[in-house]
Amino acid sequence: MKKFLKGVFLLYGIYAAIVISYFLLIADSSNLPNGYQGSAADPTTFMNDRQLELTYEYSKIRHIIFFLLTPFDWVFFLTILAVGFSVRFRNWSESVTKISLFQKGIYVFWLSVFTFIIMFPIDYISYQLSKSYGITTSTFVIWMKDQFIDFWLDYLFMVVLAIVVYALIKKYNKRWWIYAWVISVPFTVFLMFVQPVIIDPLYNDFYPLKDKELEEKILNLASKADIPAEHVYEVNMSEKTNALNAYVTGIGSNSRIVLWDTTLNKLNDSEVLFVMAHEMAHYVKKHIYMGMAAYLLISFIGLFIASKILEWAVKRFGQRLLIKGINDIASLPLLLLIISMLTFIQSPISNAFSRYLEHSADEYAIEMTNDKTAAISGFQKLTIAGLSEVNPPAIVKWLRYGHPTMLERLNFLENYDVKQTN
């Protein structure tokens, strides 16, 4: 195990050196493809020199952190297994109680606490980085509050996962993944239903739009899209960030379109209406349901593959790791490792599908508002507020972007009339 861990750390070190070298020395998102200079997508036309410099610096650092953290999770899970922490957590839980349900809860608690302790310095560095570039505005107290909410929500979901999955493994052995997927369908729908009314309010305050004049304009737009007015909400985000955002969440009677107050503060009414039309498109075009269907399909395939890899890995390495079998809770980090790796592998597919939906929403929004000027200026302001790259490296787009790049979005909008004529 020591030799194995040394090899893992060595490979991770080499990988980290490659990632850092690539983004600092090779990748260059400041150069636009030929033909885009001077267009609406050219950041030099709507950003000053200081904003450009901060954008390139911040983007490089964020990309490095992302590409270092993803395999870091895998190294972390492998270390927990190889050093024997997982087995110790299992033994501690079994020494406290003989009730399997409580054993799972205790095991997951120790695993969650250990994970929180290891990841806290990294999360804090990311928080300070975002704050130093003027993106995050949260005080340390507010940030810590969100960290603890994250911890307990993650713990709750992980306990449910552990109890259900390992009960199914114990009962059905090789077919557990099918029953786990079947149970995940109503569970996913339930989470989508309760998120807007129970989970989201834990982090922020939601309320109807305060600007009544703007509200009337949005209601008229919503009426054209046949959307109930109560689905439009404002959320207090200015105490946490300077970035702009809006999104659609929930399903059924709990579905709602949400605008950050930073978006309302920094965009004019025409720009806000385009953003609202974009979010209304998700509601009208049933993108939430399409996304849910895609997730369930991917999870079906993923659970099947994960079950096969888990069974093989436990047979191959279980004795060395002191894991008794696939129904041993000590194998949970191994299962999480497998799921994390499979999620990463399929991310280009899910991101591409998400980008397709987002582009479809852009098309709907410009057709509904017919205000190209507001759409372009709105996206440009969003780019400035978030210090977002206009033209990120291809690998970043594939693995990180669930939205089209700003180059693609702004170019589409600028040439919208031409495309419609053709």
Side-chain angles (χ1 to χ4, degrees):
M1 287 298 101
K2 288 182 180 179
K3 295 176 81 174
F4 170 74
L5 284 180
K6 286 181 180 179
V8 169
F9 292 147
L10 177 61
L11 287 176
Y12 181 74
I14 295 172
Y15 167 79
I18 294 173
V19 167
I20 295 172
S21 299
Y22 172 74
F23 284 108
L24 292 184
L25 304 176
I26 301 175
D28 185 8
S29 59
S30 62
N31 292 326
L32 291 181
N34 293 332
Y36 291 98
Q37 287 80 8
S39 69
D42 185 350
T44 61
T45 63
F46 60 88
M47 281 185 171
N48 59 43
D49 291 342
R50 181 56 177 164
Q51 289 169 338
L52 287 170
E53 181 184 0
L54 291 175
T55 296
Y56 298 140
E57 286 180 4
Y58 185 56
S59 297
K60 285 179 180 291
I61 297 173
R62 282 196 307 166
H63 297 333
I64 290 173
I65 291 175
F66 170 81
F67 282 95
L68 291 185
L69 280 186
T70 299
F72 178 83
D73 288 343
W74 308 340
V75 173
F76 173 71
F77 288 132
L78 285 172
T79 302
I80 288 178
L81 291 165
V83 174
F85 283 122
S86 184
V87 172
R88 292 176 188 174
F89 296 154
R90 178 200 65 198
N91 294 341
W92 289 345
S93 66
E94 291 178 348
S95 66
V96 172
T97 178
K98 299 298 182 183
I99 302 176
S100 176
L101 195 70
F102 294 149
Q103 288 177 352
K104 303 293 189 300
I106 295 172
Y107 174 90
V108 172
F109 177 77
W110 283 114
L111 179 62
S112 299
V113 169
F114 186 73
T115 303
F116 182 84
I117 292 173
I118 296 299
M119 295 302 300
F120 181 82
I122 299 174
D123 292 337
Y124 181 73
I125 291 172
S126 298
Y127 159 70
Q128 287 292 349
L129 172 69
S130 181
K131 194 167 185 177
S132 67
Y133 278 88
I135 306 300
T136 296
T137 59
S138 287
T139 63
F140 179 75
V141 173
I142 293 176
W143 180 76
M144 279 301 302
K145 173 191 171 185
D146 287 348
Q147 289 290 107
F148 280 114
I149 293 174
D150 285 343
F151 173 85
W152 287 111
L153 285 177
D154 290 344
Y155 171 72
L156 177 62
F157 293 144
M158 190 61 66
V159 166
V160 173
L161 171 71
I163 291 173
V164 172
V165 168
Y166 282 91
L168 292 174
I169 291 176
K170 183 177 181 180
K171 185 171 183 179
Y172 298 106
N173 197 2
K174 294 184 179 297
R175 299 193 308 274
W176 66 268
W177 64 274
I178 299 178
Y179 297 98
W181 181 83
V182 170
I183 293 175
S184 74
V185 175
F187 184 69
T188 300
V189 174
F190 173 74
L191 285 181
M192 292 289 291
F193 187 79
V194 302
Q195 180 176 338
V197 294
I198 296 180
I199 298 177
D200 289 347
L202 294 174
Y203 294 92
N204 301 102
D205 297 324
F206 293 79
Y207 37 79
L209 286 176
K210 296 177 182 178
D211 187 336
K212 297 306 177 183
E213 184 177 345
L214 177 59
E215 181 182 40
E216 184 177 354
K217 295 178 182 179
I218 293 175
L219 292 179
N220 291 334
L221 196 65
S223 178
K224 289 172 60 177
D226 196 25
I227 296 176
E230 62 267 24
H231 287 201
V232 181
Y233 286 82
E234 179 180 348
V235 57
N236 176 23
M237 288 296 296
S238 55
E239 66 176 6
K240 294 183 178 181
T241 183
N242 283 318
L244 313 183
N245 195 21
Y247 60 91
V248 59
T249 185
I251 58 174
S253 60
N254 278 0
S255 61
R256 43 172 79 169
I257 297 171
V258 180
L259 278 164
W260 288 10
D261 62 342
T262 52
T263 304
L264 295 168
N265 294 337
K266 296 181 181 180
L267 300 187
N268 61 42
D269 286 5
S270 297
E271 293 162 347
V272 169
L273 288 176
F274 175 80
V275 172
M276 289 301 299
H278 173 96
E279 298 307 327
M280 289 175 187
H282 292 306
Y283 181 87
V284 172
K285 291 175 172 286
K286 311 298 182 186
H287 286 171
I288 292 180
Y289 300 97
M290 293 170 65
M292 187 185 304
Y295 164 77
L296 291 175
L297 174 62
I298 291 174
S299 64
F300 180 83
I301 299 172
L303 280 172
F304 168 73
I305 297 174
S307 68
K308 298 302 180 182
I309 296 177
L310 178 65
E311 185 177 354
W312 170 82
V314 170
K315 284 183 179 179
R316 180 71 174 80
F317 304 105
Q319 187 174 0
R320 293 182 182 179
L321 298 175
L322 301 181
I323 296 176
K324 303 172 184 177
I326 61 172
N327 64 336
D328 184 355
I329 188 63
S331 68
L332 179 58
L334 180 58
L335 178 59
L336 295 176
L337 166 65
I338 295 169
I339 292 175
S340 176
M341 296 184 73
L342 291 176
T343 300
F344 177 77
I345 291 171
Q346 66 79 40
S347 60
I349 299 174
S350 59
N351 285 340
F353 179 68
S354 177
R355 290 195 299 270
Y356 164 77
L357 297 183
E358 294 296 335
H359 177 70
S360 173
D362 285 346
E363 288 181 321
Y364 180 93
I366 193 62
E367 290 169 4
M368 172 172 273
T369 61
N370 198 27
D371 192 344
K372 186 166 66 172
T373 301
I376 291 174
S377 61
F379 275 139
Q380 289 174 339
K381 290 179 181 179
L382 190 148
T383 303
I384 295 171
L387 295 180
S388 303
E389 280 180 299
V390 168
N391 184 36
I395 191 172
V396 173
K397 173 186 172 181
W398 299 334
L399 297 176
R400 295 199 64 189
Y401 274 53
H403 291 70
T405 66
M406 279 302 172
L407 177 68
E408 295 167 333
R409 302 180 93 167
L410 289 170
N411 182 58
F412 160 71
L413 291 171
E414 188 173 31
N415 294 282
Y416 171 73
D417 292 334
V418 176
K419 291 185 177 180
Q420 287 298 97
T421 301
N422 291 340

